Amino acid sequence: MESPHLHLGWHPEYGFVAASTPRLTDHLRDWALERVQFEPVPGTNLHRLTEPGQDGQRRARQAVTAIRSLGLVVQADFTLDPELSADPPRPTLRHGLAERQARIAGSATARSPQRAASLTSTVAPTPRPAPVAAPTGTVTGTARSR
């Protein structure tokens, strides 16, 4: 097995962290980890996942996959390695959310009462006058006089 470029795991103080090995340059490490939402921890050689409380485990697992797709070798904790463990359980929908979404979708597709059949006008249309024909035998044109 090839030696890893990065180690990902859990730190009790910083949450999900990544540490690089000497095989990886600092520039490449910073570029790869910032791309997957890790930030440097001041005063250490660690990078931590930004906002780990927002589905941190799933985002850390995605980071492992994304870094591996860049061609880097990653060694991760058992729970963070998608190749070794099953996906974490997905959060369940709140009670009644599906019913509420169905009601909203139904009302979005129903005909609005404001769009009822248009009212017909009670005012009678104004009759148009019939065109008047010009009398026959009249000379048309312009005449010049001095």
Side-chain angles (χ1 to χ4, degrees):
M1 181 175 159
E2 194 176 351
S3 62
H5 293 101
L6 290 168
H7 297 277
L8 265 78
W10 174 258
H11 190 277
E13 185 177 346
Y14 302 123
F16 297 101
V17 295
S20 66
T21 63
R23 289 189 61 203
L24 193 61
T25 64
D26 293 342
H27 175 72
L28 184 57
R29 175 201 63 208
D30 292 342
W31 176 82
L33 290 174
E34 287 174 9
R35 185 178 165 129
V36 291
Q37 299 179 352
F38 276 78
E39 62 187 2
V41 177
T44 67
N45 67 340
L46 299 175
H47 282 67
R48 67 177 167 209
L49 184 65
T50 59
E51 301 176 14
Q54 294 182 354
D55 206 8
Q57 185 176 10
R58 180 190 57 80
R59 290 174 49 223
R61 289 171 62 91
Q62 286 179 337
V64 170
T65 304
I67 293 170
R68 285 181 177 159
S69 71
L70 295 172
L72 299 176
V73 179
V74 179
Q75 181 181 2
D77 285 353
F78 179 77
T79 58
L80 299 180
D81 195 338
E83 295 177 358
L84 301 177
S85 62
D87 289 338
R90 295 213 177 255
T92 58
L93 293 176
R94 292 181 297 163
H95 182 67
L97 180 61
E99 292 83 10
R100 180 175 178 270
Q101 289 175 338
R103 282 194 321 267
I104 291 171
S107 63
T109 58
R111 186 170 184 95
S112 170
Q114 294 178 349
R115 292 285 199 171
S118 62
L119 300 174
T120 57
S121 177
T122 57
V123 178
T126 310
R128 290 186 146 182
V132 179
T136 57
T138 342
V139 178
T140 59
T142 59
R144 288 179 69 181
S145 63
R146 286 192 178 215

